[in-house]
Amino acid sequence: MGDQTNDQTVLKQTPLHALHLSLNAKMVPFAGYDMPVQYPLGVMKEHLHTRAAAGLFDVSHMGQVIVRARSGSYADAALALEKLVPVDILGLKEGRQRYGFFTNENGGILDDLMITNRGDHLLVVVNAACKDDDVAYMKANLADCDVTLLEERALVALQGPRAEAVLAEFWPDVTGMKFMDVRDVTIHDVSCIVSRSGYSGEDGFEISIPADKAEHVAKALLEDPHCEAIGLGARDSLRLEAGLCLYGNDIDTNTSPIEASLEWAIQKVRRPGGARAGGYPGAERIEEDLANGPVRRRVGLKPEGKAPVRAHAGLFAEDSPESPIGEVTSGTFGPSIEGPVAMGYVPASLAEPGSRVFAEVRGKYLPLTVTALPFITPTYKR
Amino acid sequence: MLKFTAEHEWLKLEGDVATVGITTHAAEQLGDLVFVELPEVGTELTKDGNAATVESVKAASDVYAPLDGEVTEVNQAIVDDPSLVNSDPQGAAWFFKLKLKNPADADALLDESAYKDLIG
């Protein structure tokens, strides 16, 4: 997810906008859209409900993009995208999804994305704030491919331990799906694309729905007494407890994927010695970080006290302003942790769990412990 | 005597001491509070200066000093359990007591009906 914008004059609406208003959501501008930050339940209860039962999130502001090689071959589309994204896309099996990122010439991150093999084409999902740039970038750089932003589709995320049961009411075969599987599914007579994925740390699904049927499907899911509508506020605290990056905060054009501790996303085949090593922007820098270790690392930070430490708080080696070492990139109160949680960048020498650093909050230097991510134990169905 | 500010604080005045808290309307707007930081006893506060901080899951908000004065007492109960501010904002969840420098200044604050008009 991207940066907030305060431009209220030209806010776009998702296909579920009227539903949010009817549910009495508090609406805020986010990435150019008028989005629900919370419903009457409130951020705290929405968060806890998602971890205990099931939550439905509108993520229609994100970009759903089809990449299709003019040859009609999946391999041609995959190899074209591998020139922009340092992950194994050719080796992705049909009906499978994986995480990746566009890199720039300096090895920074232009955006992060989900990539699906849809048989004869790719379906990629990109961040709302970046989607226009991403589409232009792919159109300019994917040789012999057609790149199409799907304007007439909604996207909802159904997350939580009861998500499978909620979806099974409409499609019993959902139980056969594993984490990162993608299937064509008919829900309430509507053709949807369902992936078993999400951004909450919980088992769950993302469901792509034709825009004109989105409210119909969302309402049907919300009729389940275990399923509540959840806003962007809880989406942020859920993803932070799950140790997941927010583009524009935790990763951006100045952070390499290795600094961001995302090296797990770069498969062997794209690393030095692999069959399709390199060949993407910034490969030299990223390979150097892989070989020698990065200068700094994104880490989990657990404030030792009760005060939340928020994004942009300065980090220090000692409890004084003389030793700046980095910055907090995301921070909030974690309702499931029942205490504050944060992420940020620290020098490699302080990146080991158990290291102690300090954050400046309202003129005080508060101690934080470097902590392994995620803060919660994910329940993905592998 | 009960007074209010446009910054959504209430003051209960007894002689030259004001008990200060945030209004029910403010507590509703802030949502579930997870952290409260209060001034230290003995702190000299200046009207409209920072007096306390409250935080929800989403964000931190300042609570301003409604008048000039010295903090004589703080309510540790809301530090230990910030949710008290949501459940009883204009009762048990008072923030601090202020010995007013100029008690007459309180006359200029809003009365209950003026505050109700303000929040609509």
Side-chain angles (χ1 to χ4, degrees):
Chain A
M1 300 202 298
D3 281 328
Q4 285 198 8
T5 162
N6 291 317
D7 188 353
Q8 301 198 7
T9 55
V10 290
L11 287 183
K12 290 183 273 190
Q13 298 180 354
T14 74
L16 295 175
H17 191 262
L19 178 62
H20 302 316
L21 297 184
S22 76
L23 295 172
N24 295 313
K26 186 190 279 186
M27 305 298 284
V28 297
F30 184 86
Y33 284 81
D34 192 33
M35 296 298 288
V37 66
Q38 64 175 79
Y39 298 87
L41 201 56
V43 177
M44 176 88 87
K45 291 192 183 76
E46 289 173 30
H47 176 116
L48 294 171
H49 184 86
T50 304
R51 294 238 188 275
L56 188 72
F57 305 71
D58 181 11
V59 289
S60 304
H61 56 316
M62 299 182 81
Q64 303 177 68
V65 185
I66 299 270
V67 177
R68 190 188 300 270
R70 291 187 191 115
S71 65
S73 145
Y74 172 79
D76 288 347
L79 288 170
L81 192 58
E82 283 194 2
K83 289 192 163 58
L84 306 181
V85 177
V87 313
D88 178 11
I89 304 169
L90 183 65
L92 195 56
K93 292 190 172 68
E94 184 171 346
R96 291 286 295 164
Q97 185 178 59
R98 96 178 357 153
Y99 177 78
F101 25 78
F102 295 113
T103 52
N104 68 16
E105 287 300 331
N106 301 321
I109 301 174
L110 292 169
D111 195 8
D112 60 345
L113 68 159
M114 297 300 298
I115 306 157
T116 301
N117 177 343
R118 293 277 295 155
D120 61 353
H121 66 274
L122 291 159
L123 173 62
V124 306
V125 179
V126 299
N127 282 298
C130 304
K131 67 181 176 186
D132 293 337
D133 286 347
D134 289 344
V135 168
Y137 180 65
M138 286 190 280
K139 281 186 172 170
N141 291 286
L142 295 180
D144 301 317
C145 290
D146 291 317
V147 176
T148 313
L149 178 66
L150 300 177
E151 307 271 12
E152 294 301 317
R153 283 194 88 87
L155 189 66
V156 297
L158 176 66
Q159 302 281 292
R162 305 232 21 151
E164 181 185 75
V166 171
L167 199 49
E169 289 291 316
F170 305 96
W171 182 54
D173 292 347
V174 63
T175 53
M177 287 182 79
K178 290 214 180 320
F179 186 53
M180 295 290 190
D181 279 348
V182 182
R183 299 281 181 270
D184 290 292
V185 178
T186 301
I187 302 174
H188 248 235
D189 297 326
V190 180
S191 296
C192 301
I193 304 168
V194 174
S195 69
R196 193 158 199 160
S197 62
Y199 223 60
S200 65
E202 297 297 320
D203 178 29
F205 304 87
E206 291 193 342
I207 308 169
S208 172
I209 314 166
D212 60 346
K213 298 288 196 311
E215 184 169 324
H216 173 73
V217 172
K219 276 183 170 167
L221 295 169
L222 287 170
E223 264 176 32
D224 190 303
H226 299 291
C227 186
E228 291 282 349
I230 311 294
L232 290 180
R235 181 169 163 84
D236 191 52
S237 53
L238 287 160
R239 69 93 198 162
L240 179 45
E241 284 184 344
L244 300 167
C245 290
L246 172 63
Y247 189 81
N249 278 44
D250 306 301
I251 50 176
D252 60 29
T253 52
N254 296 311
T255 56
S256 92
I258 316 306
E259 288 178 331
S261 302
L262 297 172
E263 59 268 39
W264 55 268
I266 306 177
Q267 288 78 20
K268 261 188 181 163
V269 71
R270 301 302 312 277
R271 297 188 186 200
R276 297 190 311 287
Y280 58 87
E284 199 175 318
R285 157 77 193 283
I286 290 170
E287 288 175 1
E288 189 186 303
D289 274 3
L290 273 172
N292 304 326
V295 174
R296 57 175 189 155
R297 275 280 188 185
R298 178 178 64 94
V299 294
L301 298 167
K302 183 80 192 77
E304 291 175 15
K306 290 168 76 176
V309 177
R310 311 261 175 197
H312 309 302
L315 289 171
F316 299 83
E318 308 289 340
D319 58 349
S320 65
E322 287 82 44
S323 55
I325 53 170
E327 197 177 84
V328 170
T329 52
S330 284
T332 188
F333 178 89
S336 303
I337 301 297
E338 299 181 333
V341 290
M343 299 196 292
Y345 285 83
V346 299
S349 60
L350 290 169
E352 280 303 309
S355 301
R356 198 180 204 211
V357 298
F358 295 84
E360 198 221 313
V361 177
R362 295 184 287 275
K364 292 179 188 159
Y365 292 83
L366 308 180
L368 307 92
T369 308
V370 173
T371 307
L373 292 172
F375 292 102
I376 51 107
T377 305
T379 54
Y380 309 133
K381 193 182 169 193
R382 305 258 182 204
Chain B
M1 188 170 46
L2 202 57
K3 288 284 192 179
F4 295 85
T5 72
E7 303 292 344
H8 309 290
E9 287 136 6
W10 57 266
L11 297 85
K12 192 171 140 207
L13 294 152
E14 288 161 302
D16 62 352
V17 175
T19 304
V20 180
I22 67 170
T23 65
T24 304
H25 173 77
E28 283 169 0
Q29 292 297 309
L30 290 165
D32 297 315
L33 294 185
V34 297
F35 179 75
V36 175
E37 190 169 70
L38 295 174
E40 284 177 25
V41 171
T43 307
E44 293 281 350
L45 297 180
T46 310
K47 181 176 157 56
D48 300 331
N50 270 0
T53 302
V54 293
E55 303 208 26
S56 67
V57 176
K58 248 341 248 156
S61 306
D62 294 322
V63 176
Y64 301 106
L67 293 170
D68 293 348
E70 183 189 335
V71 177
T72 57
E73 205 177 326
V74 297
N75 185 6
Q76 183 63 28
I78 62 170
V79 175
D80 296 340
D81 180 10
S83 73
L84 197 58
V85 180
N86 295 106
S87 57
D88 194 9
Q90 293 189 206
W94 58 277
F95 276 50
F96 51 85
K97 294 189 181 186
L98 202 56
K99 188 172 190 309
L100 301 178
K101 200 168 162 189
N102 305 302
D105 288 353
D107 298 343
L109 299 175
L110 303 172
D111 62 20
E112 189 158 11
S113 74
Y115 178 70
K116 280 187 172 155
D117 288 346
L118 179 79
I119 59 175

